Amino acid sequence: MKMKIKTIEDLSLNAWPSHKILIYDGWIIRFSCFYTHRTNCVEQIGSSQIALSDKIAYCEEVYEKWNTPAIFKINPLMDSSFDQKLMERGYHIAHTTEVMTMSLESYEPKEPLAEVSLTPHITSDWLNALFEMNGTTNPIHKKIVPSMYHAIPGDTIFATVYDGDNVIGTGLGILDRDYVGIYAIHVAPGYRRRKIGQSICRALLKSAREQGSCYAYLQVVKGNFGARTLYESLGFEYLYTYWFRQQF
């Protein structure tokens, strides 16, 4: 169980590069102008030598210089005393995510119900639609996020659903080792409940399996019951939960 969680944690760290990173005594400090919690947090990736209170204080100073609150990612592999330490310093839980996985070895791919266009490279149509569907308006985010997608080191599968010339659905598969990570599933508000999200996932899983992936994983915000129901219908099962502790 712990080995599988460690694998998923490593894969997800590879999958979503940050705008800036610092390596500090077994921790990685990530910064992306507060685009998402995942790309603006401290993650533990190795053993430590420096006193915990000194390390937390250092991270707080770094994020203060970056004009964002300090955020720490907490996963089941970490000692619970660390989460307690952050809580005592006034950190609150800002975001909780559930990780789901499935095996593709016995998976029987089903054809998408909607037409899904797949490409190994990001397109301006895909990115602009993503910004519109997830409500990104910050000009700084629109400037740095494209470079973050281009910096993904693994092979990628970008999924797009069109209605005429308009993009109404997006998805992303990131191949790493024998896994595919499913990311950026978005459907335009006027097109939801039409199996478009399901079609995007089916197309990504089918393509990944054809390219040699044996397993799939994804991350869903806790409480998003609609998304979790969709993923369970595809064969994903819950594996573990992680959360973010935020300074203020």
Side-chain angles (χ1 to χ4, degrees):
M1 178 69 169
K2 288 186 176 181
M3 184 177 297
K4 189 171 183 178
I5 292 175
K6 181 63 168 65
T7 296
I8 300 298
E9 287 293 294
D10 289 349
L11 295 174
S12 61
L13 193 57
N14 288 339
W16 199 199
S18 292
H19 180 57
K20 295 179 181 180
I21 64 168
L22 287 173
I23 304 297
Y24 173 56
D25 189 41
W27 291 4
I28 179 169
I29 306 173
R30 310 178 71 192
F31 173 69
S32 299
C33 298
F34 210 27
Y35 178 62
T36 65
H37 286 83
R38 194 180 306 155
T39 57
N40 290 268
C41 69
V42 180
E43 297 197 40
Q44 296 187 15
I45 57 174
S47 58
S48 299
Q49 303 298 323
I50 301 172
L52 181 60
S53 58
D54 292 340
K55 292 186 69 173
I56 294 174
Y58 175 81
C59 294
E60 291 174 347
E61 291 176 5
V62 169
Y63 280 107
E64 184 176 2
K65 291 178 181 178
W66 285 337
N67 296 313
T68 60
I71 301 172
F72 291 81
K73 180 180 177 182
I74 310 296
N75 67 53
L77 301 178
M78 301 167 62
D79 193 301
S80 60
S81 63
F82 181 68
D83 190 46
Q84 179 68 27
K85 180 74 171 179
L86 292 176
M87 186 170 61
E88 292 171 357
R89 291 175 72 98
Y91 282 74
H92 67 278
I93 295 178
H95 189 83
T96 303
T97 298
E98 296 175 332
V99 178
M100 306 179 74
T101 62
M102 68 178 291
S103 172
L104 297 180
E105 294 180 315
S106 58
Y107 174 68
E108 296 184 5
K110 296 181 180 179
E111 291 299 322
L113 301 174
E115 184 176 351
V116 182
S117 174
L118 300 179
T119 174
H121 306 294
I122 192 171
T123 66
S124 58
D125 282 351
W126 189 95
L127 189 57
N128 290 334
L130 178 75
F131 284 153
E132 183 174 348
M133 287 186 283
N134 69 12
T136 298
T137 58
N138 188 319
I140 296 176
H141 292 164
K142 288 189 173 183
K143 181 178 179 180
I144 69 167
V145 170
S147 66
M148 293 160 61
Y149 277 105
H150 286 296
I152 295 172
D155 291 334
T156 52
I157 312 167
F158 287 89
T160 311
V161 178
Y162 291 89
D163 181 6
D165 293 330
N166 298 319
V167 176
I168 60 171
T170 63
L172 170 62
I174 301 176
L175 307 176
D176 191 349
R177 298 179 229 176
D178 53 354
Y179 277 82
V180 58
I182 304 298
Y183 290 88
I185 305 296
H186 291 281
V187 178
Y191 293 86
R192 292 170 186 168
R193 301 185 183 279
R194 301 188 188 183
K195 307 294 185 181
I196 293 174
Q198 183 185 93
S199 295
I200 292 170
C201 292
R202 283 184 179 183
L204 290 173
L205 294 173
K206 182 174 184 291
S207 178
R209 189 170 184 270
E210 291 171 350
Q211 296 182 58
S213 295
C214 299
Y215 307 97
Y217 73 93
L218 54 80
Q219 303 167 80
V220 59
V221 175
K222 185 176 181 179
N224 189 342
F225 300 112
R228 179 157 174 170
T229 298
L230 164 62
Y231 300 140
E232 288 175 342
S233 73
L234 294 166
F236 283 93
E237 297 180 346
Y238 170 83
L239 181 62
Y240 68 97
T241 296
Y242 68 80
W243 59 93
F244 298 93
R245 285 275 183 188
Q246 184 171 320
Q247 186 178 19
F248 55 78

